[in-house]
Amino acid sequence: MTGELPASADGHPTPLHLDGVLDRVTDGVFGLDAEWRVTFVNDRARAVVCDATGETVTTEDLVGQSIWDVLPEVRDTTFETECRAAMRTREPVTFETHYDPLDAWLDVRLYPSESGLTVWMHESAEDGHDSRERREAVLREMYDVIADRDATFEEQVDDLLRIGQRILGTAYGTLSRVRGDKYTFEVVRSPGDIKAGDTVDLSATNCERVVLDEETLVLADLAAEAPELTERAGFAEWGISCYLGTPVIVDDEVYGTFCFYDTDPRTETFSDWEVTLVDLMGRWVSVALERELVEERLRQQNARLEEFATMVSHDLRNPLNVADGWLEQARETGDDESLDRVESSHARMREIIDDVLALARAGRAVDDPVSLELGRIAADAWEQVDTDGATLTIDLELDASGDPKRLQQLFENLFRNAVDHGSGEDGAAGLTVRVGSLVGGFYVEDDGVGIPVADRERILESGYTTADDGTGLGLGLVDDIATAHGWSVDVTESESGGARIEFTNVD
């Protein structure tokens, strides 16, 4: 098909007419001479050029033009590299490349000769065809996303979901968090019917199987491949008909799922490459979240060290200075009352040291949780507190996993805080402390004087106190223990106007 062309009067080659044979070919075909000039072009190849340039061009317009002028966007691409290699080696070449102007993948075959090159190309079928070059391009795109240090974690996940949606052809892509029996959407790409922050029952989703099995779930046609799932809301109400999701593992536990789905079943199963791609994305999300967890723990440890330094340098120094003063006076006067003051200062220092040690232990991750009856833990804690005449009511039937010693300390601190700060002028006599159930958790409240609104924002901070002789560690310890168990804490007001501390996300 290549060869010397008859020249026109101006010296340029003239179109080569092949009696319409090439125009009947559905693939694009064009020829180049040794100087990279177009020698012939069929209708399909001309249509590609028209689509790429956005202009209508004729065969006569193209013949005689340099291919690099006709299609400048293929400069410095795989296409140019392979064309030059074929001309140099005189060996036929087959490859696939992405043609950006059409946003399409093209299968290209090159047939070189001494006088030029014949190029035969057709668009890759949109049927999950996965070539090595396409896979490499997707992996490079993924790398660019995860290597972007200026992007937030949510932005990176959103970009990964976008890539996955494009490759898999699904309308939905989500990163979700699982807490107990609740499923919360954290990062979402969808047509608009769900959004980040939405929460549903885990049992309504296909992701429950991913969470329980801790394995990737692949369903091209949910009704045909997993009919037992059609009774769930995911299929019955939301119409999810194909699904590909993988577990996200953080700190050796299932954090949630990274998944893609659509309301239309696929005509073909997900390919091994597509499954592998989603697995890779899910593993990166797991690693990124694990890194965030480690960094957050380091931040907490550093903050705790800062608190320790403050307490040792400030809180301990005050009673130590007092003890030194009274000890000096006792030496001068022999007054036993001065020694009593020294003993009192030493007791105060021991109290601070005990609180600091408790704070150091409180925030550590719960490595070996056991199943506990929180109502029983609360009752045991009440027995360890000087209640000063206050009464306790427990209406809590809730089991949770945790560290029994630390959870008892949590309740003890809550009860001491209620007795010490909730009491009126007559002390704690008549004060009632109540422990009750919440959706997803529990509360501890009293009918005392309550916590001023201005103090509620800071009352859980370690070292913050409104008492002259307080360390400010009581409720700070409560917050640290709850956080170590993965619980959320909120300070509010009881119906009677007293203090109310609520704990949610209690598994």
Side-chain angles (χ1 to χ4, degrees):
M1 291 184 182
T2 59
E4 298 297 332
L5 296 177
S8 61
D10 60 2
H12 289 94
T14 57
L16 179 63
H17 299 285
L18 299 177
D19 297 327
V21 173
L22 292 179
D23 287 336
R24 293 195 294 272
V25 175
T26 57
D27 295 336
V29 184
F30 60 89
L32 305 173
D33 64 17
E35 301 300 324
W36 303 106
R37 294 175 299 184
V38 177
T39 58
F40 65 86
V41 59
N42 75 341
D43 281 348
R44 178 56 187 151
R46 183 180 60 80
V48 169
V49 175
C50 291
D51 290 343
T53 61
E55 300 178 0
T56 301
V57 294
T58 65
T59 301
E60 287 74 16
D61 293 331
L62 297 175
V63 171
Q65 297 293 319
S66 167
I67 187 63
W68 316 124
D69 293 334
V70 173
L71 299 174
E73 60 276 356
V74 301
R75 276 283 196 180
D76 300 321
T77 67
T78 300
F79 181 85
E80 180 180 10
T81 300
E82 296 294 348
C83 285
R84 293 189 182 278
M87 288 285 279
R88 184 176 63 256
T89 63
R90 298 290 191 266
E91 295 290 336
V93 176
T94 300
F95 64 95
E96 187 180 52
T97 187
H98 188 263
Y99 188 51
D100 291 339
L102 300 181
D103 191 22
W105 287 88
L106 302 177
D107 284 325
V108 182
R109 292 172 175 80
L110 306 177
Y111 302 98
S113 71
E114 293 183 0
S115 57
L117 185 69
T118 298
V119 180
W120 197 288
M121 62 185 180
H122 72 273
E123 188 171 342
S124 299
E126 297 179 359
D127 58 359
H129 175 72
D130 298 315
S131 72
R132 177 178 178 180
E133 184 170 339
R134 181 182 298 188
R135 292 195 295 269
E136 290 177 348
V138 172
L139 292 175
R140 284 194 298 271
E141 187 177 2
M142 279 182 56
Y143 175 79
D144 289 341
V145 168
I146 65 180
D148 186 358
R149 295 182 177 274
D150 294 328
T152 65
F153 170 74
E154 289 74 16
E155 290 171 340
Q156 290 174 309
V157 172
D158 185 78
D159 281 338
L160 291 180
L161 291 172
R162 173 181 52 79
I163 294 170
Q165 284 177 295
R166 188 185 75 235
I167 301 302
L168 303 177
T170 61
Y172 298 83
T174 64
L175 167 65
S176 301
R177 177 76 182 270
V178 174
R179 291 188 177 94
D181 60 355
K182 296 300 181 182
Y183 178 94
T184 302
F185 297 92
E186 290 201 329
V187 183
V188 177
R189 290 186 64 85
S190 81
D193 46 348
I194 58 174
K195 60 183 183 299
D198 288 349
T199 299
V200 299
D201 290 335
L202 177 62
S203 60
T205 71
N206 301 318
C207 294
E208 183 182 41
R209 179 171 294 186
V210 177
V211 172
L212 294 178
D213 295 343
E214 297 188 17
E215 294 180 352
T216 298
L217 178 62
V218 183
L219 297 171
D221 186 340
L222 187 145
E225 298 172 27
E228 70 277 8
L229 297 180
T230 58
E231 298 179 359
R232 300 188 177 211
F235 179 87
E237 299 178 15
W238 309 332
I240 297 173
S241 298
C242 71
Y243 176 93
L244 174 52
T246 191
V248 174
I249 308 295
V250 178
D251 210 17
D252 296 325
E253 294 185 357
V254 177
Y255 173 93
T257 60
F258 188 84
C259 58
F260 300 87
Y261 44 94
D262 208 312
T263 53
D264 294 322
R266 289 169 64 103
T267 56
E268 294 185 7
T269 187
F270 289 101
S271 69
D272 289 343
W273 155 245
E274 291 170 329
V275 175
T276 300
L277 180 67
V278 174
D279 282 342
L280 286 173
M281 290 180 173
R283 290 183 185 183
W284 178 84
V285 172
S286 297
V287 171
L289 286 170
E290 187 91 39
R291 183 173 60 248
E292 283 194 350
L293 178 63
V294 171
E295 291 175 350
E296 177 60 26
R297 286 176 177 171
L298 287 174
R299 284 193 292 269
Q300 292 176 354
Q301 290 175 2
N302 289 336
R304 191 166 290 110
L305 287 172
E306 184 71 24
E307 292 169 357
F308 295 163
T310 299
M311 292 169 191
V312 171
S313 65
H314 179 268
D315 293 352
L316 283 178
R317 182 179 290 118
N318 289 339
L320 185 60
N321 289 338
V322 170
D324 287 342
W326 286 111
L327 182 60
E328 182 66 26
Q329 182 169 330
R331 285 172 175 166
E332 293 176 357
T333 65
D335 185 2
D336 289 344
E337 184 179 350
S338 297
L339 293 177
D340 291 339
R341 299 287 183 88
V342 173
E343 183 180 7
S344 176
S345 292
H346 286 167
R348 176 62 175 156
M349 284 187 283
R350 282 193 294 271
E351 179 184 348
I352 293 173
I353 290 170
D354 288 343
D355 283 348
V356 169
L357 290 175
L359 181 65
R361 299 184 183 107
R364 293 180 304 180
V366 181
D367 296 324
D368 298 306
V370 297
S371 182
L372 303 166
E373 296 180 27
L374 291 181
R376 182 179 295 276
I377 296 289
D380 291 342
W382 184 258
E383 297 298 324
Q384 305 302 316
V385 176
D386 182 3
T387 59
D388 194 24
T391 58
L392 174 69
T393 299
I394 298 178
D395 183 17
L396 177 63
E397 295 183 3
L398 177 63
D399 292 343
S401 295
D403 182 325
K405 291 184 179 180
R406 277 189 272 179
L407 290 182
Q408 179 166 327
Q409 185 176 40
L410 176 142
F411 281 109
E412 287 181 15
N413 283 28
L414 288 169
F415 296 153
R416 288 194 186 96
N417 185 77
V419 171
D420 293 343
H421 299 282
S423 305
E425 294 181 358
D426 299 328
L431 180 75
T432 298
V433 180
R434 184 176 293 103
V435 180
S437 298
L438 284 174
V439 175
F442 66 95
Y443 65 86
V444 176
E445 67 177 15
D446 61 58
D447 57 2
V449 299
I451 301 173
V453 175
D455 292 332
R456 292 176 193 169
E457 289 290 329
R458 299 189 58 195
I459 201 70
L460 297 177
E461 296 178 8
S462 293
Y464 180 78
T465 180
T466 57
D468 294 336
D469 60 348
T471 63
L473 297 182
L475 290 183
L477 281 168
V478 167
D479 187 48
D480 278 355
I481 293 170
T483 300
H485 284 77
W487 302 351
S488 298
V489 189
D490 188 39
V491 180
T492 183
E493 185 178 69
S494 67
E495 290 185 3
S496 61
R500 178 179 169 110
I501 314 295
E502 296 182 346
F503 300 86
T504 52
N505 296 327
V506 179
D507 294 334

